[in-house]
Amino acid sequence: MRAAPTILHLDMDAFFAAAEQASKPSLRGKPVIVGGLGPRGVVSTASYEARRFGVRSAMPMAQARSLCPNAAYLVPRFQLYRTISEQVMELLGRLSPLVEPLSLDEAFVDLEAGGVAFGSASAREAGERLRRDIRAVTGLSGSVGLAGSKMLAKIASEQAKPDGLVLIEPGTERELLAPMTVRTLPGVGPATGEHLRRAGMATVADLVEAGEDELVRLLGKSHGASLFRMAAGYDDRPVVAERDAKSVSVEDTFDIDLHDRGRITSEVGRLADRCVQRLRGSGHSGRTIVLKVRRYDFSTLTRSETLRGPTDDPAVVREAAGRLLDSVDTTGGVRLLGVGVSGLADFTQEDLFAQAAGERAEEEPEGEQGPAEPVEAEAEPDPAQRRWLAGHDVRHAEYGPGWVQGSGVGRVTVRFETPTSGAPGRVRTFRVDDPGLTAAEPLPLVGERDAAQGEGEAGDGEAVVGGQMSPPASRPKSRSDGGGPGSGAAVSRP
């Protein structure tokens, strides 16, 4: 535990949904829900406007639609979110060399290690400056918690939401934690929380009163002792700059169970290629290939194969995943498939690069080979078969950049606006095979000139220090006159 609140926890506010609102003027101030739009889809992020209707992350999308039918339902744009995350992490890196990312929108920072804070006043100043810089660079808001430990810094940032800052003064931890529920503490999930509730412990104060011996009796030596220390406000975990990845994986849930073996095999190959892309993006290779299959009855099977050495060759991973699939009975249907690679390393085993090609060559009969046939370039997909995902970026030859508001029955509806548009854009409908309509890259939320001018300027929001809240400053007005989801114009359907 530190004598000064120099551990900072940043959590971007409703990150995916906020990024969509910032990039689409017609959705600002309106309920926005991001996630899988199919019948088995789940909510990834809901804007604060949607949360007022009871929509929460991880909720089935069908339930979200019943609670908030007039929201804008969008498919995630991970390319945009990663770009914004990189901008935010760069700002955190300016504060300290010790930055511990937890996800795209969340991280711990050791301010003392960066020499920018040694007491409450300097920590508060660094936190407020970070919030201003994030808004200037990304156009989005983030909530900041400051405390003498990681646990309390995370609790503080949760209290600061949305768009605020909370600083917990060292020495006030036990008083602050006492009335909170046991689920507030790290490591207490639904099962442990229910177990403690049945033992008569609902709040953190109950845990402290019960004592360490009782918690050890209920939860075991390691978990019980750790939980007692947390309840008493002790957490000496350091901020770790780099967290070693243990595995890389991708998976897909299908709207309709897959029965065709050829289709299942094809999907496994596609997932293997995606997994290798992510593996290479992280700068790793791996030697254990893992296949995950969830069948029609929700039973989940996992199969793995360990190679001679680490590889990042897509052909090797594809063929290994295919061999694993051969050992799985998919007769009744498959609802989810996943491919992963574990046993990660930062190098590759050279002979594995030729493994797949060598095995295929051994299967081919020897003999004279005729002249090679010309290889045709891969054909462009049939325009009539193109999928226009709700919320994704497009560009029209005549009308310029916009985003897909919805599609179906051979038509696609596009709203033509950009992040810097002064007002909601106009809506037009096209045939799905319109030759003038193409997919496009996401546009930056903030222009380079605006970011350079705004970085470091005074921000807005409220600051809470030591439990005292200052009056909130005025926030930017929502530019959402007309055409929003409340009128039905910006609601996309799967």
Side-chain angles (χ1 to χ4, degrees):
M1 296 293 295
R2 299 187 179 188
T6 55
I7 293 183
L8 179 149
H9 181 260
L10 170 73
D11 197 353
M12 300 294 289
D13 299 322
F15 183 45
F16 293 177
E20 298 297 344
Q21 290 175 317
S23 66
K24 301 171 173 63
S26 58
L27 300 186
R28 294 170 187 169
K30 308 293 175 64
V32 173
I33 298 172
V34 180
L37 302 189
R40 293 176 178 169
V42 297
V43 175
S44 176
T45 309
S47 69
Y48 285 99
E49 295 84 358
R51 295 180 190 186
R52 298 191 187 108
F53 292 86
V55 180
R56 295 290 183 268
S57 298
M59 173 183 288
M61 192 61 75
Q63 183 181 355
R65 288 185 184 277
S66 66
L67 292 172
C68 193
N70 291 327
Y73 289 85
L74 308 176
V75 176
R77 294 187 295 160
F78 288 107
Q79 180 180 348
L80 172 65
Y81 310 149
R82 290 190 187 97
T83 299
I84 299 171
S85 177
E86 290 171 0
Q87 293 174 322
V88 172
M89 296 303 166
E90 181 182 352
L91 292 174
L92 297 181
R94 298 180 189 179
L95 291 176
S96 172
L98 292 183
V99 176
E100 182 178 338
L102 303 179
S103 63
L104 288 176
D105 63 334
E106 186 180 1
F108 286 109
V109 183
D110 187 333
L111 299 179
E112 185 176 327
V116 296
F118 299 96
S120 297
S122 56
R124 176 191 175 191
E125 180 182 354
E128 292 289 12
R129 183 171 66 251
L130 173 64
R131 293 178 58 240
R132 292 195 299 267
D133 290 347
I134 288 174
R135 185 176 291 279
V137 172
T138 70
L140 304 180
S141 67
S143 295
V144 168
L146 292 159
S149 70
K150 292 169 71 172
M151 176 186 72
L152 290 166
K154 185 172 176 63
I155 290 173
S157 68
E158 189 64 30
Q159 292 183 336
K161 285 185 168 295
D163 193 17
L165 181 151
V166 166
L167 185 151
I168 298 176
E169 290 284 359
T172 66
E173 298 91 352
R174 296 186 68 164
E175 180 183 356
L176 175 78
L177 289 171
M180 295 183 177
T181 69
V182 295
R183 291 289 305 277
T184 304
L185 301 179
V188 181
T192 302
E194 179 61 19
H195 188 48
L196 292 170
R197 186 192 67 79
R198 291 177 179 176
M201 304 176 200
T203 67
V204 176
D206 294 335
L207 300 180
V208 175
E209 185 177 351
E212 182 175 352
D213 290 343
E214 178 64 10
L215 293 179
V216 167
R217 186 185 70 81
L218 287 171
L219 304 175
K221 184 175 182 180
S222 177
H223 194 186
S226 173
L227 188 59
F228 179 76
R229 288 177 57 82
M230 294 280 189
Y234 293 106
D235 177 20
D236 56 0
R237 294 174 299 163
V239 176
V240 181
E242 293 185 4
R243 307 176 71 187
D244 293 335
K246 296 181 179 180
S247 64
V248 173
S249 64
V250 296
E251 62 182 41
D252 274 347
T253 300
F254 305 101
D255 294 340
I256 301 174
D257 290 350
L258 303 184
H259 292 84
D260 180 77
R261 187 71 179 189
R263 168 76 188 282
I264 294 172
T265 302
S266 174
E267 291 293 340
V268 168
R270 182 179 60 83
L271 289 167
D273 289 342
R274 281 174 52 196
C275 183
V276 169
Q277 288 179 359
R278 185 171 295 182
L279 186 70
R280 289 179 169 179
S282 67
H284 290 95
S285 60
R287 64 192 307 260
T288 300
I289 313 303
V290 181
L291 175 71
K292 178 180 177 181
V293 180
R294 181 166 296 152
R295 299 187 291 190
Y296 68 99
D297 58 356
F298 286 89
S299 62
T300 302
L301 303 177
T302 302
R303 300 286 185 268
S304 64
E305 174 183 324
T306 299
L307 306 174
R308 296 193 302 270
T311 184
D312 63 355
D313 184 355
V316 172
V317 176
R318 231 180 359 252
E319 293 193 5
R323 289 193 295 271
L324 295 171
L325 180 63
D326 291 340
S327 65
V328 177
D329 180 11
T330 61
T331 305
V334 171
R335 60 185 292 119
L336 177 146
L337 289 169
V339 174
V341 178
S342 60
L344 303 188
D346 56 3
F347 66 95
T348 57
Q349 194 77 25
E350 294 298 332
D351 65 338
L352 285 176
F353 281 102
Q355 175 177 311
E359 290 177 354
R360 285 193 296 269
E362 290 175 2
E363 296 173 358
E364 295 178 359
E366 296 182 3
E368 295 185 4
Q369 301 293 326
E373 302 215 356
V375 178
E376 296 183 1
E378 185 176 348
E380 290 291 328
D382 182 355
Q385 302 301 318
R386 290 184 296 183
R387 291 185 64 200
W388 301 106
L389 300 178
H392 280 221
D393 301 273
V394 294
R395 177 176 290 275
H396 194 273
E398 180 179 353
Y399 301 107
W403 58 277
V404 175
Q405 191 166 276
S407 63
V409 294
R411 296 287 186 271
V412 55
T413 300
V414 177
R415 186 180 287 274
F416 290 99
E417 60 185 5
T418 68
T420 56
S421 298
R426 299 190 63 179
V427 175
R428 296 185 180 273
T429 299
F430 308 91
R431 297 199 320 265
V432 294
D433 59 351
D434 188 307
L437 190 64
T438 58
E441 298 294 319
L443 296 173
L445 302 186
V446 177
E448 293 183 5
R449 178 179 301 178
D450 294 335
Q453 292 176 346
E455 191 171 343
E457 293 180 0
D460 47 48
E462 58 195 26
V464 186
V465 181
Q468 301 299 316
M469 182 179 296
S470 61
S474 60
R475 297 183 181 178
K477 295 183 178 179
S478 172
R479 294 178 296 221
S480 55
D481 299 331
S487 63
V491 181
S492 60
R493 305 292 182 189

